[in-house]
Structures are given as structure tokens and as C-alpha cells.
Amino acid sequence: LQIMSSKLAQANDQLRKLDNSKSEFISIASHQLRTPLTAIKGFVSMLLEGTYGKLESNQEEALNKTYTSTERLINLVEDLLNVSRMESGRMEFKFAPTKMEDLCQEIIDTFVLRAKERKLSFEYKKSGTLLPELMIDAGKVKEVVSNMVDNALKYTPKGGVTLKLSQSDDQVR
């Protein structure tokens, strides 16, 4: 029993080392991927803004698709970094007063092109009352809501998607 326990402890140590190596690899690879993706996104944005001259509609359409795809890749890389941070206990939160209305509007602006591409209606229903500022990590909450909207657009075959913001008692929904 002692020999088997010792072998199991050694196997667990090896697994821990492998897991740490995997996490480190994911972290390094993610950081290395993020830099060129951010540059691509920046240059595509400048092209779309007309910095290098006027674009024809087919060029603009292609660049919009490139921009959207680059954003998806950047989000995927960020997800990988977050997994690595969570596994290593380095996940950080940055709480600050946030207006959910502004956060939701950013999400709508981000996904409006995808909704059009899929020929879906995309609506934002704001709260009928003024909502309080919330002390949240806006980046993390935006990521969660963005993922829900992204999935809703991806898996809605026809019709539309509505992002609704409301307050019920002491909760913002």
C-alpha cells in the first residue's frame, strides 16, 4: 500500500507540473497572438475610417467582415488568457461604477453587423426608469453579456434577438 501511495503521489506531482506547463504555454501563446491581432484590428479600423482613402462598397464589406473576425479572434485569445489566469489564481477584477445602459449600447454596436449579416432583427430595450450605477467589473460583465448575445445571434435561425435592460426591486436585469 505504501509503494502504491508513493507512486500515486509521484504521478500527481507530474500531473501538476504538466498542468502548470500547459497553463504557462497557453498564457505565452495568447500574449503572442494578441499583439498581431490588435495591430490587424487597428489597421482595418483605419481603412474603414477612410484614413488611407475612400473605399468601394465591396472593399468596405470585406473589411467589415475582417474586422468582425479579428474581434472574435481577440476575444478567443482573451478567453484563453482568462482560463490561464483562473487556473493559476491570478484572475483580477477591476470594480468601478458602471452604467449598464452604456455597456449594453456598446454590445449592441458591436453585434449590429452580425445581426444584419444573419438577416435577424436586433433590438435594445432600455429600462423605463433611470438605473443606478453598479459597482462591477465592466469588462467581465460585458464579456458575459456579449457571449450571450453572440450565442443568441448564432443560434437564432430567423426572427431576432432582443437585449432588454430593466430593474426589479434591487436588481438590474
Side-chain angles (χ1 to χ4, degrees), residues 19 37 57 59 61 63-64 99 102 104 120 128 144 155 168:
D19 192 47
L37 287 170
S57 64
Q59 292 171 321
E61 184 180 326
L63 284 171
N64 275 322
K99 292 183 178 182
D102 296 343
C104 287
L120 297 171
V144 169
Y155 297 110
S168 175

Side-chain angles (χ1 to χ4, degrees), residues 1 8 10 17 20 29 34 39-40 43 47 52 58-59 66 70 72 84 99 112 131 141 157 166:
L1 215 57
L8 185 59
Q10 287 175 342
K17 288 176 185 175
N20 288 340
R34 190 166 50 175
I40 292 167
F43 282 112
L47 286 166
Y52 299 106
N58 62 339
Q59 292 171 321
T66 303
T70 304
R72 279 190 223 149
S84 176
K99 292 183 178 182
V112 70
L131 299 177
V141 171
S166 65

Side-chain angles (χ1 to χ4, degrees), residues 131-156:
L131 299 177
E133 281 190 333
L134 304 176
M135 188 62 78
I136 59 173
D137 182 324
K140 303 268 186 312
V141 171
K142 183 177 177 183
E143 183 177 348
V144 169
V145 177
S146 292
N147 285 340
M148 290 191 295
V149 169
D150 187 31
N151 284 337
L153 291 170
K154 191 181 299 181
Y155 297 110
T156 301

Side-chain angles (χ1 to χ4, degrees), residues 37-38 41 69-79:
L37 287 170
T38 302
K41 181 180 172 184
S69 294
T70 304
E71 273 192 327
R72 279 190 223 149
L73 283 171
I74 289 170
N75 289 334
L76 178 62
V77 167
E78 193 60 36
D79 289 346

